Amino acid sequence: MKAFYKIGILCTIFLTTLNSCFDKLLEEKVYDFLSPNNFYQTETDAESAVNAIYSRLASSESGDISFHRAAWMIGDFPGESSSAQTSTVPYRLAFEFFTWTPNTDGIEFVWQFFYQVIFRTNIAIERIPLIKDGDQNKLKRLEGEARLVRALSYLYLIRLFENVPFTISSEEKDRNLPNMGNTDLIFDQIIEDFKFAESVLPVSYSGNDVGRATKGAAQTLLAKTYLTMAGYPWNKTENYSLAASKLEEIIKSGTYDLVPDYGNNFKEVGEHNKEYIFDVEFHSNLNGSNWVNMTCIRDQNVCRQFSGWSSTGGTKNFYNDMITLQPEDKRIPVNFILQFKDVVSGDIKVWGEDYDQNMGLVHTWKYTDPDETGSSDQNSNINFHFTRYADVLLMHSEAVNNASGFSGSYDKYYGINKVRERAGLAPLVNLDKDAFNKSLIWERVCELCFESHVWYDYKRMNCMEERVARKGIDIGTSKKYYVFPIPVNELDRNPNLEQHPLWK
């Protein structure tokens, strides 16, 4: 499991010296011993290069310029469910309280991270088709994996910033590209890449290849792209039908299903279950995550091998909403650590009684598994979900509800009611379009909290003002918080960048 990272170490070291086409690109003169021209010679080289792409998704090699720091937080902390808890890191608090500006360094970390990933994918996508030594079907598959990650990175960037530089080249001359007028080009490339990946990737893998991108991952992310284009601010509503059709294709495939126990999705032994579609894969001593420290309870023995920092968790308003609106919801004891077994004393400790008597900090079991095999504070094996089958079902309900004239095999209630059924909730019935959308966004918050979906969902469904008010924040009537500004340092580095109109 997850061992495909191991054979990408050399390429990771090589690509780290080339890291970003926007950050000191090619300053180190590595061509005397290794370059894209002489590295990509064999099938093994191609596999190492793609493994290095996956490795960058999981790596914390650049500190907060990583997915499991700034790039995760930017999508989750603005939501009603998440909080930076006891963290004093300024950018995390800015994300939570909607006080970010072009000078917020966490925004720059996210920008740099996704362009570093794109740079690695561009090299691989350019060079792999030129390799003659190897299994051509496998080389196509590896190209498809790289294309999927490139499309995923651009999908994040365009949702976050809207106007971003676009390049599918690894050349240094492309470092100072403009960012305005690229939206259609980027969406077209995202769709092309996901479709290519869909056509060449297998349905599943076995052995050490489990965790690689699959056909179903490409289909799901393609549908998410269509849904993004259909929603705010692009409002290309014809894409709702395309999303619904693609999501029905996934449902009908029979490849995926909801697992009976919601909590099984967040345990090491269950992370590649029937619901799994695509994750950031973590492996201790290779690319371990310390998110268990971030989410775990400070000064409590929740996990034997990990300490707790209480620096990421839920909001008290979200907890109160869940237990007030739907106390029978089976997700409550997974979304929130209501009690735990002390791994030292063996005692059961209850929130509000044995610790945190004021119930001031809300912790989650997501990313915290006392039984996982990770070791030491920085080496958890628990994955992050980019998407899982519950997301497919909820996106399908959203797409069908908002599509004009779509006629499929499943109505708008199919997906959301399957998710609710697992949670022990009654099915929804007889809701008009607007009421259904309101129910859907709340269902996404309850089901996908702490999985970095919420800000993107608020944006797409044009409901950010209403939702963040639930955590006591008034963002006014300006739409500026529906987009992040271009980081000021990027504007200084690249004279061809133009700030988003809402942030000028």
Side-chain angles (χ1 to χ4, degrees):
M1 181 179 67
K2 308 179 188 177
F4 59 83
Y5 285 126
K6 293 181 179 178
I7 60 174
I9 300 300
L10 174 62
C11 197
T12 298
I13 295 170
F14 163 53
L15 287 171
T16 299
T17 66
L18 305 179
N19 227 339
S20 169
C21 52
F22 292 94
D23 188 16
K24 299 182 179 179
L25 178 66
L26 303 180
E27 282 189 1
E28 296 184 45
K29 304 300 183 183
V30 299
Y31 289 109
D32 289 340
F33 64 93
L34 189 62
S35 78
N37 292 323
N38 61 35
F39 177 76
Y40 288 85
Q41 300 295 318
T42 68
E43 177 186 310
T44 299
D45 295 340
E47 188 165 17
S48 295
V50 173
N51 292 348
I53 294 168
Y54 288 123
S55 181
R56 185 65 189 95
L57 291 179
S59 174
S60 58
E61 64 192 39
S62 300
D64 280 30
I65 306 174
S66 62
F67 187 82
H68 60 307
R69 281 291 188 273
W72 180 95
M73 294 169 177
I74 202 170
D76 215 78
F77 279 179
E80 67 201 81
S81 54
S82 290
S83 170
Q85 301 283 48
T86 64
S87 175
T88 58
V89 178
Y91 83 77
R92 300 175 190 176
L93 298 174
F95 289 165
E96 180 178 353
F97 295 107
F98 286 77
T99 57
W100 63 77
T101 73
N103 290 291
T104 300
D105 58 359
I107 300 175
E108 183 178 5
F109 298 157
V110 176
W111 178 284
Q112 290 178 354
F113 168 72
F114 282 116
Y115 275 111
Q116 287 174 12
V117 175
I118 286 169
F119 181 63
R120 292 190 182 194
T121 62
N122 284 347
I123 294 175
I125 294 164
E126 283 180 355
R127 299 293 173 170
I128 289 174
L130 303 179
I131 296 173
K132 305 302 180 186
D133 180 11
D135 180 336
Q136 293 301 308
N137 288 330
K138 183 175 180 179
L139 289 169
K140 277 286 186 186
R141 190 205 82 196
L142 291 167
E143 181 185 352
E145 293 176 62
R147 281 179 175 258
L148 182 143
V149 176
R150 179 171 70 183
L152 179 62
S153 298
Y154 270 124
L155 181 59
Y156 272 99
L157 284 168
I158 202 167
R159 289 185 296 173
L160 289 165
F161 300 102
E162 296 180 9
N163 305 307
V164 296
F166 172 62
T167 179
I168 55 174
S169 168
S170 64
E171 295 297 322
E172 183 181 7
K173 65 182 175 61
D174 290 329
R175 66 181 298 183
N176 285 334
L177 292 169
N179 65 313
M180 302 303 288
N182 294 329
T183 301
D184 289 343
L185 284 173
I186 293 173
F187 275 128
D188 286 347
Q189 188 64 53
I190 291 170
I191 292 168
E192 179 184 322
D193 281 348
F194 282 143
K195 285 184 173 181
F196 181 92
E198 179 184 7
S199 71
V200 299
L201 295 182
V203 171
S204 62
Y205 297 88
S206 61
N208 289 338
D209 286 329
V210 171
R212 291 182 177 276
T214 62
K215 177 179 180 178
Q219 292 173 313
T220 301
L221 295 168
L222 176 58
K224 191 176 287 286
T225 303
Y226 289 142
L227 206 57
T228 297
M229 296 169 69
Y232 184 85
W234 295 285
N235 300 317
K236 298 182 178 181
T237 55
E238 66 275 12
N239 288 285
Y240 281 124
S241 292
L242 293 175
S245 179
K246 184 57 62 177
L247 291 160
E248 285 209 356
E249 190 176 337
I250 299 165
I251 293 168
K252 287 181 175 180
S253 73
T255 303
Y256 307 102
D257 199 1
L258 295 180
V259 295
D261 182 357
Y262 168 71
N264 193 50
N265 290 300
F266 314 106
K267 298 181 183 298
E268 183 182 12
V269 295
E271 63 191 6
H272 294 119
N273 59 31
K274 192 74 170 175
E275 197 163 335
Y276 159 86
I277 295 180
F278 191 53
D279 284 2
V280 180
E281 302 277 340
F282 289 107
H283 195 286
S284 61
N285 302 316
L286 289 174
N287 281 306
S289 164
N290 61 11
W291 260 77
V292 63
N293 306 86
M294 301 279 287
T295 60
C296 214
I297 306 169
R298 186 184 296 274
D299 299 326
Q300 297 294 327
N301 301 312
V302 180
C303 297
R304 191 175 301 276
Q305 67 271 49
F306 303 110
S307 62
W309 302 342
S310 291
S311 56
T312 295
T315 65
K316 193 62 178 291
N317 286 346
F318 176 47
Y319 167 76
N320 288 336
D321 281 348
M322 280 204 77
I323 64 171
T324 301
L325 297 173
Q326 47 206 53
E328 71 278 23
D329 196 320
K330 294 179 181 179
R331 294 170 296 198
I332 288 174
V334 177
N335 290 346
F336 312 112
I337 300 180
L338 304 178
Q339 64 178 35
F340 68 92
K341 183 178 180 180
D342 188 301
V343 295
V344 175
S345 69
D347 296 335
I348 300 298
K349 293 193 174 182
V350 178
W351 181 34
E353 297 177 11
D354 302 301
Y355 67 97
D356 191 16
Q357 281 73 20
N358 295 325
M359 302 179 73
L361 296 178
V362 179
H363 295 84
T364 177
W365 281 116
K366 293 186 178 182
Y367 317 116
T368 301
D369 176 6
D371 297 322
E372 70 154 293
T373 59
S375 59
S376 83
D377 279 3
Q378 310 296 320
N379 282 289
S380 170
N381 289 325
I382 302 299
N383 287 358
F384 287 116
H385 300 300
F386 277 123
T387 183
R388 53 187 174 87
Y389 188 59
D391 186 23
V392 167
L393 293 172
L394 293 173
M395 287 195 295
H396 177 266
S397 288
E398 179 184 345
V400 174
N401 183 56
N402 292 282
S404 297
F406 177 77
S407 178
S409 300
Y410 308 99
D411 67 13
K412 69 183 184 181
Y413 294 102
Y414 174 80
I416 193 170
N417 280 341
K418 280 187 71 70
V419 172
R420 288 175 62 83
E421 180 183 17
R422 178 173 66 178
L425 302 176
L428 300 179
V429 294
N430 300 325
L431 296 177
D432 64 23
K433 181 177 178 180
D434 290 342
F436 188 91
N437 280 333
K438 289 181 184 295
S439 295
L440 180 72
I441 191 64
W442 171 240
E443 201 64 43
R444 288 187 65 85
V445 172
C446 294
E447 177 71 25
L448 301 171
C449 57
F450 316 124
E451 297 179 51
S452 200
H453 289 274
V454 178
W455 181 85
Y456 305 102
D457 294 341
Y458 290 171
K459 175 172 182 161
R460 182 181 69 251
M461 299 184 75
N462 197 12
C463 62
M464 197 166 303
E465 297 89 346
E466 175 189 350
R467 299 312 307 187
V468 300
R470 298 173 74 93
K471 66 188 237 180
I473 295 176
D474 181 359
I475 60 172
T477 59
S478 170
K479 291 293 188 181
K480 67 185 298 184
Y481 291 111
Y482 279 71
V483 66
F484 285 85
I486 305 298
V488 66
N489 288 336
E490 296 297 334
L491 292 170
D492 291 342
R493 279 191 282 263
N494 180 355
N496 295 319
L497 292 180
E498 183 177 335
Q499 185 58 273
H500 193 283
L502 290 173
W503 284 97
K504 286 185 177 179

